[in-house]
Amino acid sequence: MTISPGERSADAAPVPDVVIEPDADRLARAAAEALVARLAAAQAVHGTAAVVLTGGSIGIAVLERVAGLAAEPVRETVDWTAVDVWWGDERFVPADDAERNEKQARTALLDAVGVPPERVHAMPASDGGFAEPEDAAAWYAQQLAAAAPEGHDLPRLDLLLLGMGPEGHTASIFPDSPAARDERPVLAVRDCPKPPPTRISLGFTAINSAEEIWLLVSGEGKAPAVARALAGAGPQELPAAGVHGARATRWLLDAAAAAELPRPGS
C-alpha cells in the first residue's frame, strides 16, 4: 500500500512516497526487487550504477534477497561488474569485526554477485591505516571527490539506502549531536549513544546529493519516530526527517513501523 503523509509548504522538500508492506519479510523482498529495477534503469541510462548501502537487520535482509534474485530469471538484470558500492556509515572497528557493515554486505551480496574490488568503496576500519576516525573520514571524502565529475565534490549516487533507529537516527547521525549540524560530506562520529561509540558517517551534504533515498524501517518500536519524521520533525531532533533525495525519497515500511501514521481519509 502507498500513502501520502500529507501536504507540505511550497518551499519544503518534496513529499516523500510511503510504501507499506505487511511484514518485514515482504518488505525486504519488495525492496530487493525494486533495488534491482532501479540499478538496471541507471545502467540503461549511464552504463554504470552507484548505490550506497546501509546495515541493520532489514538492510542486510534486502541484500540477501537481492543475491537470491541474481540467481533467478527476472525482468530486469544488473551487471554487477558495473556497479559502484559505497556506504552510508560504518563502525570504526577492526576489519574482521562482525559488526562491520562492509563485512555483512560482502557475505550477504557482494561476494556472491562478483562486484569488482575496485568498485567496492569501503569505509576504513580501525586497523586500516588510520589511527583516528577523523583521518579516515577525510580519506573517504577524498575517495568520493575522486569519483566525482570535474568541478564536483561528490559522484553520481543513483540510490542511497538508509535505516532508522527508534530515536530517529539515520546513518550515524544521532539526534542533537554535532553530526546533525555538520555540513561536511563525511564525518567522524564519537560518543555514539549506541555501541560501538566511534563511527564514520556520511553527513547530510552527501546523503542528500543522492538521486533517490530509500529509508527501510521495520518494527513497532520505530513507529513513533516514523510518524514524527513524516509529520515534519526537524533534522536535529530527528535526523531521519532531514534526508531527501534529489529526485525522490521513499519510506519503505512494514505495517508495524507504519502503525502510527494517519490513514488516507482519516
Side-chain angles (χ1 to χ4, degrees):
M1 177 173 64
T2 303
I3 65 173
S4 170
E7 297 297 326
R8 300 282 181 96
S9 63
D11 59 348
V15 175
D17 295 324
V18 179
V19 179
I20 303 170
E21 298 292 341
D23 53 48
D25 182 69
R26 278 178 276 192
L27 170 60
R29 189 187 321 160
E33 292 172 354
L35 186 151
V36 168
R38 180 66 186 89
L39 296 185
Q43 289 182 337
V45 174
H46 303 289
T48 62
V51 62
V52 182
L53 300 183
T54 186
S57 58
I58 190 67
I60 298 303
V62 169
L63 299 188
E64 291 172 344
R65 283 156 180 80
V66 171
L69 290 174
E72 298 177 3
V74 293
R75 182 168 59 86
E76 296 93 355
T77 58
V78 174
D79 177 3
W80 291 101
T81 67
V83 176
D84 281 289
V85 179
W86 304 86
W87 271 268
D89 74 327
E90 186 59 275
R91 282 87 167 173
F92 196 60
V93 294
D96 63 353
D97 193 303
E99 290 195 333
R100 290 262 306 169
N101 290 335
E102 176 206 357
K103 184 170 184 177
Q104 295 176 31
R106 287 185 181 276
T107 300
L109 174 65
L110 303 182
D111 291 345
V113 297
V115 178
E118 65 272 16
R119 289 190 177 274
V120 179
H121 308 282
M123 289 181 166
S126 61
D127 57 356
F130 297 98
E132 302 296 335
E134 289 79 8
D135 295 331
W139 178 87
Y140 204 67
Q142 292 170 359
Q143 300 308 297
L144 287 163
E150 185 175 355
H152 295 267
D153 295 329
L154 295 165
R156 187 191 80 249
L157 301 173
D158 298 297
L159 176 60
L160 188 146
L161 305 177
L162 291 170
M164 187 192 72
E167 76 300 288
H169 89 266
T170 194
S172 284
I173 305 175
F174 286 81
D176 300 316
S177 69
R181 299 181 292 275
D182 199 314
E183 296 184 357
R184 289 174 296 176
V186 189
L187 319 169
V189 182
R190 295 180 180 268
D191 301 319
C192 289
K194 178 180 178 182
T198 306
R199 306 180 182 201
I200 304 168
S201 179
L202 296 188
F204 284 131
T205 299
I207 288 171
N208 290 337
S209 75
E211 290 292 294
E212 294 190 21
I213 297 177
W214 297 358
L215 292 109
L216 307 165
V217 188
S218 66
E220 63 181 352
K222 299 178 181 180
V226 168
R228 288 174 57 211
L230 288 169
Q236 292 188 23
E237 65 170 295
L238 207 155
V243 303
H244 48 83
R247 291 181 59 243
T249 308
R250 303 178 72 190
W251 285 74
L252 307 180
L253 314 171
D254 67 4
E260 296 193 17
L261 291 180
R263 292 298 188 245
S266 62

